[in-house]
């Protein structure tokens, strides 16, 4: 963890020109960057209209009663979406993601829709609503919210400063890793909100934000999806960046390979499908055909 943190900071220094001095200082202290009114109003409305008119192949994943839908922004989709294509190439969008992730590479891109519902039974609990870290090193995720997000619609939640390798965080991490090795668990460790004070951390920040807001977070820090108290639909442009954390190179990108650029999400799904057919894992992201971002869910097992 200490090694990857040092390498990440070295790479970020190489990319400091992508964000302002104020944003760098804020990110170092809090672990996220927030930009409101990212686009001029006319451009934003044109982009939203383009997303609403778009129908493309998608996949969905159910966790508890919540369903996540992703429409990968492949070259085929962007060929008919000039506003989206232009936005995804702009530094307003790419700069904070590349800086937070510490890599000057193309992230995984999609239109993401979260269909939220209140939890009805104990067995239907959405694990994404528990504060957690993604893995043992810094990773970047981004959400550009296309509609207003209210506090009761499952907003993104982040514990400011939880990305830092403090002595208490390292001690907690060591304890969790030992427990995980004993029970053969994974590395996306959960932490109860009541434990935050033990790590000298504040209460989580809930991003109940207006449309046209970009949030980029280091998801080594503790984060979660807020709980929905009613049926809700949250639509955003979503990106994630998670290359090998030990790489010192900022520009080494698999998108240079033929047919990879714009298809990283789709390629990962193909590999998952192949492993599922061989019986090594279950199908997580199920294909649902061509749909729009806000199209009503169809009952599925």
């Amino acid at each position: 963890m200490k090694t990857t943190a040092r390498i990440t900071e070295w790479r970020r220094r190489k990319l400091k020109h992508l964000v302002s001095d104020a944003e760098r200082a804020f990110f170092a202290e809090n672990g996220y960057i927030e930009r409101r009114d990212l686009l001029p109003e006319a451009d934003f409305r044109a982009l939203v209209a383009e997303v609403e008119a778009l129908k493309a192949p998608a996949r969905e994943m159910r966790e508890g009663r919540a369903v996540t839908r992703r429409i990968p922004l492949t070259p085929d989709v962007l060929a008919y979406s000039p506003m989206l294509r232009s936005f995804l190439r702009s530094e307003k969008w790419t700069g904070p993601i590349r800086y937070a992730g510490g890599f000057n590479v193309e992230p995984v891109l999609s239109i993401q829709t979260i269909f939220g519902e209140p939890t009805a039974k104990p067995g239907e609990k959405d694990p994404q609503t528990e504060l957690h870290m993604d893995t043992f090193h810094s990773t970047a995720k981004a959400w550009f919210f296309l509609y207003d997000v209210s506090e009761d619609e499952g907003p993104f939640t982040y514990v400011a400063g939880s990305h830092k390798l403090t002595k208490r965080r390292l001690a907690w991490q060591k304890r969790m890793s030992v427990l995980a090795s004993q029970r053969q668990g994974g590395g996306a460790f959960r932490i109860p909100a009541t434990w935050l004070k033990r790590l000298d951390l504040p209460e989580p920040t809930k991003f109940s934000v207006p449309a046209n807001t970009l949030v980029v977070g280091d998801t080594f820090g503790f984060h979660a999806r807020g709980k929905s108290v009613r049926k809700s639909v949250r639509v955003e442009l979503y990106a994630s960046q998670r290359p090998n954390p030990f790489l010192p190179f900022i520009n080494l990108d698999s998108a240079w390979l033929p047919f990879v650029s714009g298809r990283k999400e789709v390629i990962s799904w193909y590999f998952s499908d192949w492993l599922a057919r061989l019986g090594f894992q279950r199908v997580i992201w199920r294909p649902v055909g061509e749909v729009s971002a806000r199209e009503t869910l169809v009952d599925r097992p």
Side-chain angles (χ1 to χ4, degrees):
M1 288 174 62
K2 291 178 180 178
T3 300
T4 60
R6 287 194 293 268
I7 294 173
T8 298
E9 286 307 311
W10 184 87
R11 291 195 311 266
R12 282 178 181 149
R13 287 195 292 272
K14 298 287 186 180
L15 298 169
K16 65 181 183 179
H17 61 283
L18 296 175
V19 294
S20 67
D21 292 345
E23 284 180 324
R24 284 200 305 276
F26 187 88
F27 179 83
E29 182 62 27
N30 296 282
Y32 66 88
I33 293 171
E34 179 181 355
R35 290 182 175 181
R36 298 200 178 191
D37 297 319
L38 188 68
L39 293 177
E41 185 66 18
D43 291 349
F44 178 67
R45 292 300 165 200
L47 186 145
V48 171
E50 200 170 81
V51 169
E52 290 178 339
L54 188 151
K55 293 192 74 167
R59 293 202 180 198
E60 293 176 356
M61 173 180 65
R62 181 179 293 275
E63 294 177 295
R65 292 176 63 84
V67 173
T68 301
R69 172 183 294 164
R70 286 187 187 162
I71 300 174
L73 292 172
T74 62
D76 294 337
V77 171
L78 293 179
Y80 301 97
S81 308
M83 286 299 300
L84 267 173
R85 186 170 63 249
S86 175
F87 173 72
L88 295 176
R89 291 173 179 170
S90 71
E91 280 206 359
K92 288 183 177 180
W93 163 257
T94 63
I97 299 170
R98 295 176 187 230
Y99 176 77
F103 286 100
N104 191 35
V105 300
E106 178 187 286
V108 176
L109 297 168
S110 62
I111 300 169
Q112 177 168 272
T113 308
I114 309 293
F115 296 93
E117 286 195 32
T119 300
K121 302 174 184 177
E124 294 178 332
K125 186 176 182 180
D126 177 4
Q128 296 300 326
T129 61
E130 299 176 324
L131 288 170
H132 62 281
M133 49 175 280
D134 280 355
T135 188
F136 70 92
H137 59 85
S138 289
T139 58
K141 288 185 177 177
W143 300 261
F144 181 48
F145 300 106
L146 302 184
Y147 304 90
D148 295 346
V149 181
S150 65
E151 192 167 326
D152 60 357
E153 288 185 319
F156 173 62
T157 303
Y158 192 88
V159 179
S162 61
H163 67 304
K164 298 178 184 177
L165 283 186
T166 62
K167 288 183 178 180
R168 293 194 179 196
R169 174 67 191 271
L170 282 167
W172 177 86
Q173 195 80 27
K174 180 62 178 285
R175 178 177 182 272
M176 295 299 292
S177 67
V178 170
L179 292 174
S181 68
Q182 292 171 349
R183 61 174 183 259
Q184 296 183 337
F189 301 143
R190 263 60 184 168
I191 183 169
T194 53
W195 276 45
L196 294 177
K197 285 186 179 180
R198 301 186 192 184
L199 273 64
D200 284 335
L201 292 171
E203 290 295 309
T205 299
K206 294 182 179 180
F207 288 89
S208 175
V209 295
N212 201 10
T213 296
L214 171 67
V215 176
V216 181
D218 179 350
T219 49
F220 170 70
F222 298 128
H223 60 285
R225 180 189 300 156
K227 294 181 180 179
S228 292
V229 301
R230 57 184 174 83
K231 285 189 175 184
S232 61
V233 180
R234 198 182 88 195
V235 183
E236 60 232 4
L237 298 185
Y238 170 79
S240 65
Q241 190 198 86
R242 190 171 166 171
N244 188 307
F246 295 101
L247 289 174
F249 313 108
I250 62 172
N251 294 312
L252 191 60
D253 192 357
S254 62
W256 295 345
L257 298 172
F259 306 109
V260 173
S261 180
R263 299 183 177 91
K264 290 181 178 180
E265 180 103 88
V266 174
I267 291 170
S268 71
W269 286 343
Y270 286 159
F271 274 110
S272 295
D273 291 345
W274 179 66
L275 290 172
R277 284 195 296 271
L278 293 176
F280 292 114
Q281 69 176 46
R282 63 185 178 87
V283 176
I284 299 173
W285 290 94
R286 298 183 180 276
V288 294
E290 289 196 357
V291 295
S292 63
R294 295 176 66 88
E295 188 169 324
T296 306
L297 281 171
V298 177
D299 289 334
R300 300 184 187 95

